[in-house]
Amino acid sequence: MKKRIYQILIACALAGSTSCDTEFLDKPPVDKFSDTAVWQDPALAKTFVNNIYLGIPIPWTALMLSSTTDESMAVWDWESSNVTKSQITPSYMAIFDPSFWTSSLRDMTWNNSYKNIRACNLFLEKIDGVPFDDPKQKDALKGEVLFLRAYFYHQLVSLYGGVPLINKAYTLTDEFTAPRESYENSIKFIAEECDKAAALLPASGDKARATKGAALALKSRALLYAASDLFNSNASWAGNFTNKELVGYTGGNRQARWQAAKDAAKAVIDLGLYNLYGGENPGSADVASKNYAGLFLNNGNSEDIMLQFWDVAHDNAWDRGNPGLFNGPNGWHNWGGNTPIGQLADSYEMQDGTKFNWTNPLHKADPYVNRDPRFYASILYEGASWRIRPADVRGSEPRGLVQVGFYKRADGTTVPGYDTKKSPIEDWNGGSTGYYLRKFIDPNIDHQYNKQQLPWRRFRYAEILLNYAEACLGLGQETEARTYINKVRARVGMPPVTESGTALLERYRNERRVELAYEEHRYYDVRRWMIAPQAYENATGVEVNGTMNADGTITNRTYAVIKAQDRAWNPRFYFLPIKIDEMNRNNKLIQNPLY
């Protein structure tokens, strides 16, 4: 490049031309805005913030976080099995690696988070010099960026424990190595950032951007996690690891942490801005199921605290933003990518509030009747009514009913259902568990051709109510805990819980599991509750057999529980390892225990 510039200058001199302006070398690029321009223009400063929002991982990718825990199984087993078998190492991050192109998990980890944190730091260093006519607009943007920085740090701390807390935008002359902060200081920093953000943000407004409620909701989540078992175990699971302060608290008052979590959730509730979608008296199980399903099939409602949209018109990436294509049954030309496993399906109670159990003859004979209304809104199962089949399938299966079984005809032959791995429609996709995902998916769209334009609920009110209930349980306030658990259950017409002690804690955990299924909570919940050894038992599914009548109807169905995927738990996987190349770049980092 230097040689080329020198040749141009010589040519200008030899030509003796006064029109050859060497200042062209200093002209700003025409395909992007210069740093100076950005920090002189309020509109460009806001655009800069918009780009930071884009760093929040897109949850609807071909591989979802649900398939790394006891919610679902990836149809392409190899994609997630390195996680479900606890095979991640500092040198082998697989789906958590930025180069893994079908997973949102690639955007959750160290590199992406710190890239966005640097953008936040740069903004906060520059914003005071931007000439806004209305100071409130500047304050609101500051609040948004403080929220975003806290969000990315919460993401890091939830995955790695204590991390380096960087609050400046490094330049090339800076010292880049920084030690990990303690878990306690990391949580304190996140909570303080949320408070600063909440003080600057409006109470209401565009829910695709941070508001006061979003900042307080993030604080609620962070402090609830911090009060949980994993971070208050003194790293008992980590053997002789000496840097226990990196992966949890090493002292202090746990009751005070539960109280802080309770207060944080109550601060959101006391805003008075949010309500459970559909109300608390649905009237019938069918209405309750439709209300719960409908919660996720609109562009905003009273339960939403923060939404995440993406521009479908301009984001043409095939591997994100299309949950129907990725997860719908293959008999509709979809991929069945993250199929619910048996453990999740079985966790939905009977409509009377009793547990579903395959050893109960009545349950086994007809397992999909009289279940929690959220079951029907979340999971597609054998015989479930979905949408009319595509035109090339409709003639042979006009009813639009899910077929995940194998059916015997009168002539003695057996035919596979349209939504099995041996489907006559598409046999290269299809699930192995006997279930497909229904939650989030718009049934009015043919997903093989169209992306739905619906948002992800990044924070919603039901989570806050459950956060509050869990903190109450931690404080021994069972009556209040039951009140808030039952608010969530009442919305779907489920009877109130009445238990106490350990039984109440188990009911709460199951309530959180089914209410927030597939919403990127379970991965963290099974770790912070330290129930991962049970959660990572082999995944189950259901095998269905039946009779296909001459008119195509299916009768005489029988069901059997099967193993769908081998899984294994290693306690080292309570946290992700820091990548080996990051360790090599920063010799002040200390690796997570057991790696």
Side-chain angles (χ1 to χ4, degrees):
M1 183 63 186
K2 289 181 179 178
K3 182 178 179 181
R4 179 61 179 158
I5 294 172
Y6 179 75
Q7 290 172 338
I8 294 171
L9 294 175
I10 292 296
C12 290
L14 291 175
S17 171
T18 58
S19 64
C20 189
D21 184 0
T22 59
E23 291 182 1
F24 78 93
L25 296 171
D26 298 321
K27 289 183 177 179
V30 297
D31 62 339
K32 62 185 70 174
F33 293 103
S34 69
D35 184 72
T36 302
V38 170
W39 307 117
Q40 292 178 351
D41 187 332
L44 292 181
K46 184 174 181 179
T47 300
F48 187 91
V49 176
N50 293 346
N51 285 331
I52 303 176
Y53 276 103
L54 296 177
I56 297 176
I58 293 174
W60 282 326
T61 50
L63 178 64
M64 298 175 69
L65 188 62
S66 61
S67 289
T68 66
T69 187
D70 59 343
E71 289 185 314
S72 68
M73 171 184 168
V75 64
W76 310 282
D77 189 10
W78 60 270
E79 286 193 318
S80 62
S81 63
N82 50 71
V83 178
T84 56
K85 294 180 181 177
S86 302
Q87 294 172 342
I88 294 292
T89 70
S91 300
Y92 178 62
M93 296 297 290
I95 59 176
F96 289 101
D97 193 282
S99 63
F100 197 93
W101 41 272
T102 63
S103 171
S104 64
L105 284 62
R106 64 189 177 188
D107 295 330
M108 293 171 57
T109 48
W110 195 276
N111 290 0
N112 187 68
S113 295
Y114 274 111
K115 179 186 74 174
N116 288 291
I117 287 168
R118 184 188 186 279
C120 292
N121 291 339
L122 180 61
F123 174 90
L124 293 170
E125 290 175 3
K126 299 285 189 179
I127 186 59
D128 284 337
V130 180
F132 278 83
D133 294 331
D134 183 356
K136 291 183 179 179
Q137 293 182 1
K138 181 185 291 189
D139 286 345
L141 283 178
K142 281 184 181 180
E144 290 181 41
V145 173
L146 287 167
F147 163 85
L148 288 164
R149 186 164 68 175
Y151 182 91
F152 291 118
Y153 269 120
H154 170 65
Q155 187 168 266
L156 283 168
V157 170
S158 299
L159 292 170
Y160 297 97
V163 296
L165 296 178
I166 311 299
N167 58 10
K168 60 173 288 186
Y170 281 153
T171 66
L172 292 176
T173 58
D174 286 323
E175 170 61 48
F176 294 106
T177 59
R180 295 174 66 181
E181 268 290 353
S182 68
Y183 178 82
E184 181 175 4
N185 285 345
S186 298
I187 291 297
K188 181 180 178 182
F189 176 81
I190 292 166
E192 289 174 347
E193 292 282 277
C194 290
D195 286 338
K196 293 175 186 176
L200 294 170
L201 288 166
S204 59
D206 184 356
K207 291 184 179 180
R209 308 185 75 87
T211 60
K212 183 185 294 290
L216 296 178
L218 176 59
K219 181 181 178 182
S220 168
R221 187 182 294 179
L223 293 183
L224 181 75
Y225 285 17
S228 300
D229 293 346
L230 176 63
F231 304 107
N232 293 271
S233 65
N234 200 29
S236 59
W237 50 274
N240 295 323
F241 181 60
T242 57
N243 297 97
K244 294 181 178 181
E245 75 282 356
L246 298 179
V247 292
Y249 293 95
T250 56
N253 185 344
R254 189 180 182 188
Q255 289 299 97
R257 293 192 269 277
W258 280 123
Q259 186 64 51
K262 178 183 175 181
D263 293 344
K266 193 63 161 56
V268 182
I269 296 169
D270 287 347
L271 290 175
L273 297 172
Y274 312 108
N275 297 286
L276 292 173
Y277 180 78
E280 296 183 23
N281 297 291
S284 71
D286 184 58
V287 171
S289 181
K290 288 180 180 178
N291 283 347
Y292 184 77
L295 162 62
F296 306 99
L297 300 179
N298 55 64
N299 285 323
N301 60 67
S302 63
E303 188 164 338
D304 298 326
I305 298 175
M306 186 175 182
L307 302 172
Q308 184 177 356
F309 290 88
W310 51 91
D311 190 345
V312 175
H314 296 97
D315 186 352
N316 294 316
W318 67 269
D319 63 325
R320 55 186 179 179
N322 198 345
L325 176 64
F326 302 154
N327 298 299
N330 54 316
W332 275 267
H333 297 303
N334 301 145
W335 301 354
N338 300 275
T339 56
I341 64 173
Q343 284 92 335
L344 175 63
D346 297 348
S347 68
Y348 290 85
E349 298 169 357
M350 303 302 292
Q351 195 174 332
D352 64 3
T354 58
K355 288 184 178 181
F356 171 82
N357 196 328
W358 283 105
T359 64
N360 183 318
L362 294 177
H363 294 179
K364 185 175 182 179
D366 206 349
Y368 308 130
V369 298
N370 299 324
R371 300 288 292 274
D372 182 329
R374 289 170 292 194
F375 177 85
Y376 306 106
S378 303
I379 294 177
L380 292 172
Y381 52 89
E382 170 68 17
S385 178
W386 187 219
R387 60 188 306 276
I388 297 301
R389 298 270 180 179
D392 60 328
V393 187
R394 199 173 303 155
S396 53
E397 203 287 286
R399 298 174 179 84
L401 304 179
V402 175
Q403 293 186 358
V404 293
F406 292 81
Y407 315 114
K408 183 170 288 188
R409 291 171 166 165
D411 62 6
T413 60
T414 298
V415 295
Y418 285 117
D419 307 304
T420 65
K421 279 188 175 294
K422 296 186 178 182
S423 168
I425 307 305
E426 288 184 3
D427 59 3
W428 58 90
N429 288 320
S432 301
T433 68
Y435 300 108
Y436 288 96
L437 180 64
R438 183 170 190 163
K439 189 174 183 177
F440 314 123
I441 300 176
D442 186 347
N444 300 308
I445 291 177
D446 186 345
H447 294 274
Q448 63 176 322
Y449 300 117
N450 302 292
K451 287 186 178 183
Q452 63 186 49
Q453 301 191 38
L454 295 171
W456 175 268
R457 270 70 196 173
R458 186 54 64 185
F459 294 96
R460 64 183 179 95
Y461 190 52
E463 178 200 346
I464 302 303
L465 297 179
L466 292 171
N467 291 355
Y468 186 82
E470 185 173 342
C472 289
L473 288 174
L475 292 167
Q477 300 167 355
E478 293 190 347
T479 300
E480 195 166 3
R482 282 192 292 267
T483 296
Y484 281 81
I485 296 169
N486 290 333
K487 285 178 181 288
V488 177
R489 291 173 66 83
R491 186 255 294 278
V492 291
M494 290 295 288
V497 299
T498 58
E499 291 87 347
S500 297
T502 301
L504 177 58
L505 178 62
E506 292 303 313
R507 291 297 295 273
Y508 163 77
R509 289 180 174 179
N510 197 69
E511 184 64 24
R512 185 177 177 95
R513 181 178 193 178
V514 299
E515 174 67 28
L516 303 178
Y518 274 81
E519 295 182 49
E520 298 195 332
H521 294 277
R522 186 69 176 173
Y523 177 92
Y524 304 103
D525 286 349
V526 301
R527 286 163 171 75
R528 65 187 184 86
W529 293 335
M530 299 187 77
I531 63 169
Q534 296 77 44
Y536 283 87
E537 293 176 348
N538 292 338
T540 64
V542 62
E543 178 181 275
V544 182
N545 290 282
T547 300
M548 179 172 282
N549 303 310
D551 62 357
T553 58
I554 311 297
T555 55
N556 302 321
R557 291 184 176 92
T558 61
Y559 305 87
V561 176
I562 60 170
K563 183 176 76 172
Q565 185 187 45
D566 289 321
R567 296 188 168 190
W569 173 253
N570 188 315
R572 72 182 186 183
F573 206 48
Y574 276 119
F575 296 95
L576 287 185
I578 300 171
K579 289 181 66 176
I580 192 68
D581 59 346
E582 188 65 32
M583 297 283 290
N584 291 337
R585 283 193 293 267
N586 185 355
N587 58 17
K588 293 183 180 180
L589 294 180
I590 300 172
Q591 184 56 272
N592 289 320
L594 304 184
Y595 281 100

